[in-house]
Amino acid sequence: MFMELRKCGFEPDDVTMVSVISSCGSLGDLDLALQLHKCVFHAKSLVKSDILMLNSLIDLYGKCGRMDLAFRVFLRMKQRNVSSWTSMIVGYAMHGHVDEALECFCCMREAGVRPNHVTFVGVLSACVHGGKVQEGRRYFDMMKIDYGIMPGLPHFGCIVDLLGRAGLLEEAREIVEGMPVKANVAIWGCLMGACEKYGDVKMGELVAKQLLELEPWNDGVYVVLSNLYASRGMWEAVDRIRGLMKQSKLAKIPAYSLATSSD
């Protein structure tokens, strides 16, 4: 539609560019991103700030894995809002640049910009990538105490994943059970992956029960539980799980497995 707009002789404005850049970000097409960057400067609004377009560019480059280009756009911005900083933090976290993400968050606070719930998803994700347990706990508490932001499922998912990867299974389970909202498959899945990684059969069985209550058809749960039993040499339990799969007419989907924290 954007190409048709240009062919018809219309000039895109800032609203058009934000929409197109967002679409390009979903594709992760860097070549197209570089072309659109040129169009941005021709679409600047004389009435409004171009902050929305530049934020979209930062997000776009982040999704394309070019945080160097995202940072260049960020540096040249005359105005920055919470979305500007958050896009940088999320981009860094997404690609494993842990120190850069946390440093950016620190600079954001020093600049007096109040983080939002998305910002903390990025910060906690960075902690997960870097295995920074103490920092993750501190930021999780900071979100609630300092900024009054109630954690949502993404935040709980990050902290459970962080603790699970570090082998702190009991603490992770306590957080899941103390959540004000019901844990979803993704959160229980993080804990299940940790149980498999550290060979915790007892907790693995409890988590598997929760997962199967949410998704009785999920063959991946049986597969991970079977692997967990096998890692402990519990071959009778392995045969029992396989029997349950046959009885329920569940067959493992080819080239598919339940995502775990050890992936």
Side-chain angles (χ1 to χ4, degrees):
M1 290 300 295
F2 178 70
M3 303 303 285
E4 288 295 322
L5 178 146
R6 297 297 301 275
K7 288 178 182 178
C8 291
F10 292 105
E11 289 296 327
D13 61 10
D14 53 342
V15 177
T16 310
M17 291 311 304
V18 168
S19 300
V20 175
I21 291 170
S22 297
S23 299
C24 184
S26 299
L27 294 173
D29 190 329
L30 181 60
D31 292 333
L32 184 57
L34 295 172
Q35 294 179 50
L36 289 175
H37 194 156
K38 297 176 182 178
C39 296
V40 163
F41 295 101
H42 298 291
K44 284 188 175 181
S45 171
L46 298 177
V47 182
K48 297 180 293 183
S49 166
D50 58 0
I51 192 169
L52 284 176
M53 279 192 295
L54 296 180
N55 285 346
S56 297
L57 274 177
I58 293 172
D59 182 63
L60 169 58
Y61 283 133
K63 288 176 178 175
C64 291
R66 290 299 304 270
M67 290 309 299
D68 57 325
L69 297 179
F71 185 59
R72 286 174 62 181
V73 174
F74 182 79
L75 281 181
R76 294 177 182 178
M77 294 179 71
K78 294 179 181 179
Q79 291 180 303
R80 299 176 186 132
N81 60 13
V82 62
S83 294
S84 314
W85 290 94
T86 297
S87 293
M88 289 297 299
I89 293 168
V90 170
Y92 279 133
M94 184 187 302
H95 298 287
H97 303 298
V98 178
D99 293 335
E100 290 87 345
L102 299 183
E103 182 181 354
C104 190
F105 178 65
C106 182
C107 291
M108 176 185 184
R109 296 185 69 207
E110 290 176 354
V113 180
R114 182 183 177 85
N116 59 24
H117 67 286
V118 181
T119 312
F120 278 102
V121 171
V123 171
L124 293 172
S125 296
C127 292
V128 172
H129 281 291
K132 295 182 178 292
V133 176
Q134 295 298 335
E135 291 86 343
R137 289 185 180 127
R138 180 162 60 87
Y139 291 130
F140 191 72
D141 290 337
M142 179 191 294
M143 175 178 62
K144 297 182 291 183
I145 298 170
D146 294 357
Y147 294 102
I149 300 173
M150 294 305 297
L153 288 174
H155 306 104
F156 282 114
C158 287
I159 197 68
V160 169
D161 194 14
L162 175 63
L163 295 171
R165 287 171 185 256
L168 301 170
L169 303 185
E170 284 297 332
E171 185 178 349
R173 181 181 61 80
E174 288 174 5
I175 287 180
V176 174
E177 292 178 350
M179 288 171 52
V181 293
K182 188 176 181 180
N184 59 12
V185 172
I187 293 176
W188 284 115
C190 288
L191 192 52
M192 188 68 190
C195 291
E196 181 187 16
K197 179 179 179 180
Y198 290 99
D200 193 323
V201 173
K202 184 177 179 180
M203 188 177 296
E205 290 173 337
L206 294 174
V207 174
K209 181 180 179 181
Q210 296 294 330
L211 281 167
L212 291 173
E213 285 181 2
L214 293 171
E215 291 186 352
W217 61 88
N218 192 337
D219 60 281
V221 179
Y222 290 99
V223 172
V224 174
L225 190 57
S226 176
N227 291 341
L228 179 55
Y229 287 139
S231 69
R232 291 295 187 179
M234 301 171 63
W235 302 113
E236 290 185 4
V238 171
D239 291 338
R240 177 170 56 82
I241 291 297
R242 290 176 178 172
L244 286 173
M245 291 182 70
K246 290 180 180 179
Q247 183 179 347
S248 303
K249 297 182 180 180
L250 289 171
K252 184 179 180 299
I253 302 172
Y256 170 84
S257 62
L258 183 69
T260 70
S261 62
S262 59
D263 287 344

